[in-house]
Amino acid sequence: MKSKKVLSLLLVLCMAVFAFPFSAGASETKDVADTLIEELGVPADAAEAVAEGQQVPENFAASVAYVSDYAGLKAAVEDPAVTIVMVLNDITLEDSLEVGRNKQNLALIALNEVTIYSASQKRHFYVDNDTVQQETKMVFSNVILNGSGTGGGIHSERGFDSMSTLMVDGLRLTGCAAVGDGFDAALVGYNLSIIDADIHDNQTGGVSSGHYTESLSIEGSKIRNNEGSGIQASSWIHLSVTNSDISYNGPYGIRTAGFTSNFRVAGCSVNFNGLTGIRLYSSGNNFASGSGIYNCEVRCNGVSGNAEQGGGLYFF
């Protein structure tokens, strides 16, 4: 009789572990649930179940995957039915993961902090946005992408005629190195919207817009301690950087590579960058209404001592 009771208890415990793979504090649970509801439109009951580590409603179960290794993560990212990927532990990638055009929403969630390490000389993610007017959303919570000094980062691709965009929320990106795809930055994208990111201590730049990009928007983020420029924007771009810390980067905090007539930098700290805090190629332009630099702290830039371009602001 005693052995039967022990066996029954073990079965109950195993079922509980399977059904409730996570535990988290109340504030962490609320943050995860709010992120899923607000950014991806996940039903409240499903979002709360995921955040609390409980079984999701049956009608939403196919949208959630629990992964603990590269093979499981790859399968979840490639499955068009999966929207939420719950990462159970640290994972080292064997190759880049491709977010296809059939995947418009992808959330990588962990209730306790985990790290995804890239394969050598590979990005963490390539996002295929080579379609007309598609918005891809990638949401991260308690998931760090680490390039281990050999690769890593996200590259969003698009065609010349594409109006697609990539929105990234909650990204934590560090330790990235150049991978030979033509862009020396940890996060590269065309028509990028970045919210609440922390992109730091990369051997590359922080963020770079691609060629033929219409817009780059960064809000509430930290882009700091990168060996390259914090933000590198292309020509003719609509550039908006608000309430962000762009400091301690290599040559430039914020730099445009060509003519820019529509830009707004507001409520930012742009300090201690190696050459210039904000460098804009603006000669001969008629700036759009509202363009300018507002309520920013720009100090102690140009520590490299370059007399021609060093300093807080440089327009040419």
Side-chain angles (χ1 to χ4, degrees):
M1 180 66 69
K2 184 177 181 181
S3 62
K4 288 183 177 180
K5 288 183 177 179
V6 172
L7 179 58
S8 297
L9 179 60
L10 287 174
L11 287 172
V12 170
L13 289 173
C14 288
M15 290 174 66
V17 169
F18 178 78
F20 310 112
F22 291 110
S23 61
S27 62
E28 291 177 331
T29 297
K30 186 178 185 304
D31 288 345
V32 172
D34 287 348
T35 297
L36 295 176
I37 294 167
E38 294 170 8
E39 298 298 348
L40 301 185
V42 174
D45 57 345
E48 290 167 5
V50 167
E52 293 171 3
Q54 302 199 24
Q55 288 180 321
V56 298
E58 186 176 347
N59 62 351
F60 198 77
S63 300
V64 182
Y66 297 88
V67 304
S68 59
D69 56 22
Y70 166 71
L73 180 56
K74 182 175 186 293
V77 170
E78 293 178 352
D79 186 343
V82 172
T83 300
I84 301 170
V85 181
M86 303 299 292
V87 185
L88 303 177
N89 47 250
D90 294 350
I91 295 175
T92 298
L93 303 182
E94 298 174 14
D95 203 345
S96 299
L97 298 171
E98 296 190 8
V99 181
R101 62 187 66 180
N102 60 353
K103 177 83 73 174
Q104 288 187 261
N105 294 322
L106 177 64
L108 278 79
I109 307 293
L111 298 193
N112 298 299
E113 189 173 273
V114 301
T115 301
I116 299 176
Y117 298 95
S118 65
S120 180
Q121 290 297 298
K122 300 286 187 178
R123 295 278 187 187
H124 286 89
F125 293 96
Y126 278 100
V127 182
D128 181 3
N129 265 340
D130 191 9
T131 54
V132 177
Q133 294 189 354
Q134 171 176 310
E135 180 181 52
T136 301
K137 293 183 179 180
M138 297 184 72
V139 174
F140 298 84
S141 180
N142 283 333
V143 175
I144 299 170
L145 303 186
N146 192 315
S148 302
T150 63
I154 299 175
H155 187 166
S156 174
E157 301 177 339
R158 56 156 280 191
F160 179 79
D161 294 326
S162 172
M163 298 294 291
S164 57
T165 62
L166 172 64
M167 189 277 281
V168 181
D169 189 337
L171 177 65
R172 305 292 181 261
L173 185 55
T174 189
C176 295
V179 298
D181 59 5
F183 292 92
D184 188 25
L187 174 57
V188 179
Y190 302 81
N191 299 335
L192 271 174
S193 175
I194 303 167
I195 304 169
D196 186 31
D198 190 354
I199 301 173
H200 66 93
D201 293 290
N202 295 288
Q203 296 176 19
T204 62
V207 176
S208 176
S209 64
H211 305 302
Y212 314 117
T213 296
E214 289 198 345
S215 65
L216 172 59
S217 173
I218 300 172
E219 179 182 348
S221 297
K222 298 177 182 178
I223 302 175
R224 53 198 172 85
N225 291 317
N226 299 289
E227 292 187 14
S229 296
I231 300 169
Q232 170 81 23
S234 58
S235 304
W236 306 112
I237 195 170
H238 294 188
L239 175 65
S240 174
V241 186
T242 58
N243 302 318
S244 296
D245 181 7
I246 317 295
S247 299
Y248 293 97
N249 297 290
Y252 304 102
I254 302 171
R255 177 180 184 264
T256 62
F259 290 116
T260 303
S261 60
N262 194 328
F263 69 93
R264 179 180 175 84
V265 182
C268 294
S269 297
V270 188
N271 304 321
F272 295 98
N273 295 286
L275 187 58
T276 306
I278 302 173
R279 177 184 183 269
L280 297 174
Y281 191 7
S282 58
S283 179
N285 277 294
N286 294 315
F287 293 124
S289 176
S291 290
I293 300 169
Y294 304 91
N295 301 319
C296 291
E297 179 185 65
V298 183
R299 63 186 180 87
C300 298
N301 296 283
V303 295
S304 62
N306 186 300
E308 182 180 353
Q309 297 185 31
L313 304 175
Y314 180 68
F315 290 83
F316 71 105

